Amino acid sequence: MSTPHHASDTPLDGHVPAPDDGHSIETVELPGPTAWPLVLSVGLIMVAFGILTNISFSFLGIIMALVGIVGWVTEILPGRGHIHEELRPEELRPKPVKRADVDVIPMAPGMPGHRMHMPEKVHPYSAGAKAGLVGGVAMAVLAAIYGVVSGRGIWYPVNLLAGMVLEEADTDPVAQLEQFHLLALILGLFIHAVGSLFVGLIYGIVLPMIPRGRVLFGGLVAPLFWSGCLWASMDVLDPVLAQRVDWVWFIASQFAYGIVVGIIVVRTEKIHTTRGWRA
Amino acid sequence: MATTVAVPEMTDKSPRRSSLLEWVTTVDHKRIGIMYLLAALFFLVCAGTEAALMRIQLWKARFDFLEPDTFNQLFTMHGTTMVFFVGMPILVGFGNFLVPLMIGARDMAFPRMNAFGLWMFILGGLLTYYSFLQGGAPDVGWFAYAPLTSATFSRGMSTDYWILGLMTSGLGTLSGGINFIATILTMRAPGMTFGRMPLFIWMMLVDAVLIVIAFPPLTAAQTMLLLDRQLGAHFFDPQQGGSAVLWQHLFWFFGHPEVYILILPAFGMISEIIPVFARKVIFGYESVAAATVLIAFIACGVWAHHMFALGLSRTIDIFFSGSTFLIAIPTGIKMFNWIATLYGGKIRFQTPMIFCLGFLAMFLIGGLSGVMLAAVPFDWQASDTYFVVAHFHYVLFGGTLFGIFGGFYYWFPKMSGRLMNETLGKWNFWLLMIGFNLTFFPMHISGLMGMPRRIYTYDPELGVDIWNQLSTIGVLVQAAAFIVFAVNLIGSLRSGERSGDDPWDAWTLEWLTTSPPPAYNFEVIPAVRSRRPLWDLKHPEDPDWEHE
Ligand SMILES: [Cu+2]
């Protein structure tokens, strides 16, 4: 794009053959002025106006609209409806863009600006996914231990989790919730796996951006934060769990998840971001 | 038939005065854009007058300046006009003028359809206003809830004027939306990938997609209503097995995306203006574009938050409350992007910029009261009070209209070749800022004190007189601001300082050509290598494409 603001000798959109004087004039093909769209819209408005006042206007409007359409169509046939607009003489054209005489302050790390991209290195997404799944296992182990310790069995926490979707669990007696239910197991596993994976992915992306104390952040601060959110919204998310949850065990299992995921993510080797690939 | 259209003589090389006929038959996107703007300004005067009359009526409790029926017509026409005949046409007008210039094209993809859209809007607006001469304007609110719109409760033809006026102008809007999509997808200059499009173009593209999604349901609903009223159908008549709630679903499925149709182009404008006046690139280009797409996506799934007071069901309320909260996230992302763009910038406080800063402050207030209203119990309390009126005026006036003013001051030189007056611009801004806040901030308070919307008067015992009087005084200050703007616009058009091609030292392609541009926009279609093609030309030692 050496001189984009000057007409070049190459043909533009439309290049008409030389007129009488024998010199080639540079032109641009543009759609010519037309009244047909206006005729069509007046026709359509007349149709509406007729419905509101006297229906004979509508008939008139239909005819007018048809005339407008026909006129419009004839104009888009090849070779019609276009004009060849001559390029302006040089003196009326835009001035060439001048090279700026101000110096640009080079961007340096620590300065706000678009050329600083943080972080330079990140963990691969797979690290977050893997860590999330392992963390999910850790959480499930803790939940199973809770089931055993509380004397309600390992299916109890699974059924409580499935209560997020299974509405009838709301009214089931506790004894029911201690039994094995295949559907609840499938749903519970699904919810748990998706949740663990998703949060793990977020960990993988967010943790490298934390300046220091990543395991502390991932293991304690973040789980504490979302436990608070869950505590506030549990009534809506999973009424079954809300009624029966043991908050000490619940938060402990969140910490277990956070610590495991945090450690795994932090330990994976970092790779350069795409920004870093530029030579 | 095409031969009847005269090909203008091109021998005269000097810029000449253009005749009215040239404007009426033009298919030039720039002229069409300017006509959109002028027509919308005309309707703005209409809607502003309606608002002022309402504010006089609300000056004191039990005032009888206006008849209740007249008041109903005024708030209906004010809302309808502002949304359909002011807000959208102004934005579509800017889009028309700017999109081809900014993407380095010679015109829109369908130039004749572009003219068609303009005329449908103007004539549809005039048709709606013609109802004033035919026994009264529509008086069912801009939302036209059933069963108020049924033939039983809305006698005469006023509601039919509302239906047909909006249907016809909606056809124009829809054709405009299709045109923008086709233009942006197919007519970009060589090298202008999606990742290099100016953010205004991104926003117009998403806006056009929203138009194409939102308008057909409205037109369908209006057709059903017309059948109900004219041919005895019962779509919205519960007594005959129809459903009044269905209307609300259909209307708000259009109505909420409409709010984003009205704000996204303004987002786009300030995303262009702020970087130029902060002398920095926009912070997080990708995230602004992505947030725009996300907003459009979520905006299609929040409509029932207008219907919390209806008692749909707990599950539905929770879903729509949640999705409404969610939309605050991409919107918040953009706020941070704009603020981060300002941070560390070498800011020039010229009129386009101060309107953008006003936008940020006012839109923030409107956004926050929106989050408050997204909470179902709060909405039950505040629904149909002046709190809601305050909320959406902070969004659409403090947001959209402030952005539009910024856009006027920024792009007026490109349209006319002259700069607008800076001193008058500052007066315009401060009068508008003060008048706007004086009018609408007290409405938060009167609303929470229980003052209902859409009622022609209020009880003296409510104790809201003082807040209403502040609001009415605010309108006076706003009127002064609009007069200053009109004086500035006309004065600058006649004798403003010549702007030159690129008065703001800006970076997007519209500043590469003359002000005003020739019919064909560019002698040579520019090739683009970065998001700021003019920066690359001005700073060949440090071009953007090395960094993007
Ligand atoms: Cu909404």
Side-chain angles (χ1 to χ4, degrees):
Chain A
M1 56 179 301
S2 50
T3 50
H5 33 271
H6 284 291
S8 65
D9 294 329
T10 50
L12 295 163
D13 289 2
H15 191 80
V16 279
D20 309 346
D21 60 355
H23 289 289
S24 163
I25 298 171
E26 283 182 299
T27 62
V28 179
E29 191 185 79
L30 291 174
T34 173
W36 297 123
L38 177 59
V39 172
L40 173 60
S41 44
V42 170
L44 291 177
I45 294 287
M46 292 254 287
V47 173
F49 188 69
I51 296 172
L52 296 162
T53 52
N54 189 322
I55 202 73
S56 44
F57 283 112
S58 296
F59 292 115
L60 215 64
I62 291 172
I63 295 169
M64 208 167 159
L66 285 176
V67 171
I69 290 173
V70 171
W72 188 332
V73 169
T74 54
E75 213 154 76
I76 52 178
L77 295 175
R80 306 245 200 135
H82 281 85
I83 54 169
H84 294 274
E85 178 101 2
E86 263 179 59
L87 292 189
R88 295 172 294 180
E90 287 285 342
E91 65 272 17
L92 292 176
R93 293 186 191 175
K95 313 273 173 297
V97 175
K98 277 206 283 292
R99 196 182 159 138
D101 48 8
V102 289
D103 283 329
V104 182
I105 307 166
M107 288 287 175
M111 265 171 79
H114 72 302
R115 280 154 211 189
M116 186 176 66
H117 290 287
M118 298 290 278
E120 278 186 334
K121 288 170 137 196
V122 289
H123 300 294
Y125 293 143
S126 60
K130 259 184 272 173
L133 290 178
V134 178
V137 172
M139 201 174 185
V141 169
L142 222 67
I145 295 174
Y146 157 71
V148 174
V149 171
S150 65
R152 298 193 192 283
I154 57 168
W155 303 119
Y156 183 63
V158 177
N159 291 330
L160 288 185
L161 182 59
M164 209 166 148
V165 186
L166 291 176
E167 226 171 298
E168 67 271 19
D170 211 354
T171 48
D172 281 350
V174 174
Q176 271 281 334
L177 288 171
E178 293 172 3
Q179 305 300 315
F180 170 77
H181 300 283
L182 183 63
L183 181 62
L185 178 65
I186 294 170
L187 282 172
L189 268 180
F190 180 76
I191 295 169
H192 187 60
V194 170
S196 304
L197 194 74
F198 188 66
V199 177
L201 275 171
I202 295 178
Y203 263 64
I205 295 164
V206 171
L207 276 191
M209 299 184 196
I210 308 294
R212 63 188 80 81
R214 284 173 200 158
V215 176
L216 183 75
F217 180 85
L220 293 175
V221 179
L224 211 58
F225 172 72
W226 81 62
S227 296
C229 293
L230 286 174
W231 176 80
S233 55
M234 188 71 85
D235 267 337
V236 174
L237 282 178
D238 185 349
V240 185
L241 185 56
Q243 286 165 29
R244 303 177 175 83
V245 66
D246 182 330
W247 281 106
V248 175
W249 277 92
F250 183 82
I251 295 176
S253 66
Q254 309 298 324
F255 284 146
Y257 175 87
I259 291 167
V260 169
V261 178
I263 289 173
I264 296 179
V265 167
V266 169
R267 286 196 164 183
T268 24
E269 208 175 320
K270 285 188 179 177
I271 53 170
H272 276 284
T273 58
T274 48
R275 305 288 176 196
W277 293 350
R278 193 169 56 81
Chain B
M1 271 172 169
T3 49
T4 57
V5 179
V7 178
E9 283 293 315
M10 283 295 137
T11 46
D12 181 13
K13 292 207 172 75
S14 62
R16 61 214 149 84
R17 289 199 162 270
S18 38
S19 69
L20 189 66
L21 183 72
E22 274 181 23
W23 282 83
V24 170
T25 58
T26 189
V27 289
D28 181 341
H29 71 98
K30 298 176 287 297
R31 287 186 167 183
I32 290 175
I34 290 169
M35 284 195 279
Y36 263 111
L37 295 180
L38 293 177
L41 287 178
F42 163 75
F43 283 116
L44 179 65
V45 174
C46 299
T49 310
E50 285 150 12
L53 290 172
M54 285 191 281
R55 283 307 335 161
I56 297 173
Q57 163 62 21
L58 294 170
W59 172 255
K60 61 180 188 193
R62 301 251 173 259
F63 200 22
D64 51 7
F65 173 70
L66 295 175
E67 295 290 313
D69 288 347
T70 316
F71 191 87
N72 291 350
Q73 295 177 24
L74 289 178
F75 77 70
T76 301
M77 287 303 280
H78 171 75
T80 304
T81 309
M82 286 307 293
V83 169
F84 293 97
F85 307 135
V86 178
M88 274 196 299
I90 287 193
L91 300 167
V92 169
F94 272 109
N96 252 305
F97 187 88
L98 291 171
V99 165
L101 285 170
M102 278 179 142
I103 63 174
R106 298 216 187 276
D107 208 313
M108 298 285 281
F110 307 116
R112 297 176 189 85
M113 192 163 93
N114 205 13
F116 171 74
L118 168 77
W119 297 117
M120 289 308 284
F121 142 60
I122 294 180
L123 295 172
L126 292 178
L127 182 67
T128 315
Y129 265 82
Y130 188 71
S131 60
F132 272 112
L133 306 176
Q134 290 281 309
D139 55 0
V140 287
W142 88 283
F143 43 84
Y145 277 174
L148 196 60
T149 48
S150 67
T152 323
F153 301 111
S154 169
R155 295 172 180 280
M157 296 300 280
S158 65
T159 301
D160 306 276
Y161 271 96
W162 182 85
I163 296 171
L164 286 163
L166 296 194
M167 257 165 100
T168 44
S169 73
L171 208 59
T173 310
L174 191 61
S175 70
I178 293 167
N179 212 344
F180 280 123
I181 295 174
T183 307
I184 295 172
L185 291 187
T186 63
M187 314 245 313
R188 280 166 289 137
M192 186 176 280
T193 55
F194 276 107
R196 290 179 190 155
M197 292 194 311
L199 281 170
F200 181 76
I201 301 297
W202 264 106
M203 311 262 176
M204 283 310 296
L205 176 63
V206 175
D207 205 58
V209 171
L210 273 182
I211 285 175
V212 172
I213 293 173
F215 267 76
L218 177 69
T219 306
Q222 287 175 327
T223 310
M224 290 153 78
L225 184 57
L226 196 65
L227 293 175
D228 272 15
R229 289 178 56 85
Q230 297 292 330
L231 299 174
H234 307 295
F235 288 109
F236 305 119
D237 180 2
Q239 310 221 321
Q240 308 278 347
S243 163
V245 176
L246 176 65
W247 170 266
Q248 293 201 26
H249 278 296
L250 289 171
F251 183 83
W252 288 117
F253 185 78
F254 149 81
H256 188 87
E258 172 65 20
V259 178
Y260 285 89
I261 292 171
L262 288 168
I263 194 79
L264 284 181
F267 283 176
M269 290 180 187
I270 76 160
S271 301
E272 296 300 328
I273 298 172
I274 287 180
V276 168
F277 286 83
R279 310 309 299 156
K280 283 175 65 192
V281 291
I282 187 92
F283 182 92
Y285 171 94
E286 294 90 342
S287 61
V288 178
T292 308
V293 176
L294 203 61
I295 283 178
F297 182 74
I298 304 176
C300 294
V302 299
W303 75 90
H305 66 204
H306 296 268
M307 301 160 68
F308 286 155
L310 215 65
L312 290 170
S313 85
R314 202 182 79 137
T315 315
I316 292 179
D317 285 356
I318 288 172
F319 174 87
F320 283 100
S321 175
S323 60
T324 307
F325 281 127
L326 218 55
I327 213 162
I329 295 174
T331 315
I333 289 175
K334 290 188 177 185
M335 284 301 277
F336 285 118
N337 278 304
W338 293 321
I339 293 167
T341 307
L342 292 170
Y343 175 63
K346 202 175 156 201
I347 298 175
R348 300 185 300 199
F349 289 97
Q350 281 158 297
T351 310
M353 183 61 157
I354 53 177
F355 269 109
C356 290
L357 299 176
F359 172 103
L360 292 182
M362 297 301 99
F363 181 74
L364 180 66
I365 297 176
L368 289 178
S369 58
V371 174
M372 291 164 77
L373 286 167
V376 180
F378 185 90
D379 184 82
W380 284 340
Q381 192 68 26
S383 196
D384 284 333
T385 70
Y386 267 80
F387 188 88
V388 180
V389 180
H391 155 68
F392 67 72
H393 280 91
Y394 268 86
V395 173
L396 292 177
F397 192 145
T400 303
L401 212 60
F402 272 61
I404 285 171
F405 269 111
F408 258 112
Y409 279 91
Y410 183 63
W411 281 295
F412 179 83
K414 187 47 67 182
M415 297 179 183
S416 68
R418 293 175 188 272
L419 288 160
M420 285 179 84
N421 183 294
E422 266 298 304
T423 314
L424 287 177
K426 299 251 160 69
W427 274 97
N428 181 4
F429 171 77
W430 284 110
L431 285 172
L432 195 69
M433 188 75 171
I434 293 165
F436 165 75
N437 279 294
L438 200 56
T439 307
F440 293 106
F441 200 84
M443 289 185 188
H444 290 113
I445 300 163
S446 56
L448 289 180
M449 287 172 76
M451 181 172 165
R453 321 163 52 174
R454 302 169 190 143
I455 308 281
Y456 76 105
T457 193
Y458 48 91
D459 212 72
E461 267 138 58
L462 212 53
V464 293
D465 290 57
I466 178 68
W467 304 115
N468 278 289
Q469 280 159 7
L470 287 176
S471 291
T472 305
I473 294 168
V475 170
L476 272 180
V477 184
Q478 283 186 56
F482 280 102
I483 289 170
V484 170
F485 175 71
V487 168
N488 198 353
L489 198 68
I490 295 165
S492 305
L493 205 56
R494 285 193 178 164
S495 56
E497 193 190 325
R498 296 268 174 202
S499 64
D501 301 346
D502 177 20
W504 311 115
D505 191 7
W507 302 311
T508 36
L509 286 180
E510 75 270 30
W511 306 105
L512 190 62
T513 185
T514 49
S515 315
Y520 49 79
N521 291 350
F522 302 98
E523 269 75 23
V524 174
I525 297 295
V528 173
R529 290 184 75 180
S530 78
R531 285 169 204 151
R532 297 192 299 170
L534 264 69
W535 170 277
D536 297 346
L537 290 173
K538 291 168 185 174
H539 298 273
E541 77 287 356
D542 184 27
D544 264 5
W545 42 264
E546 282 188 358
H547 305 283
E548 276 170 6

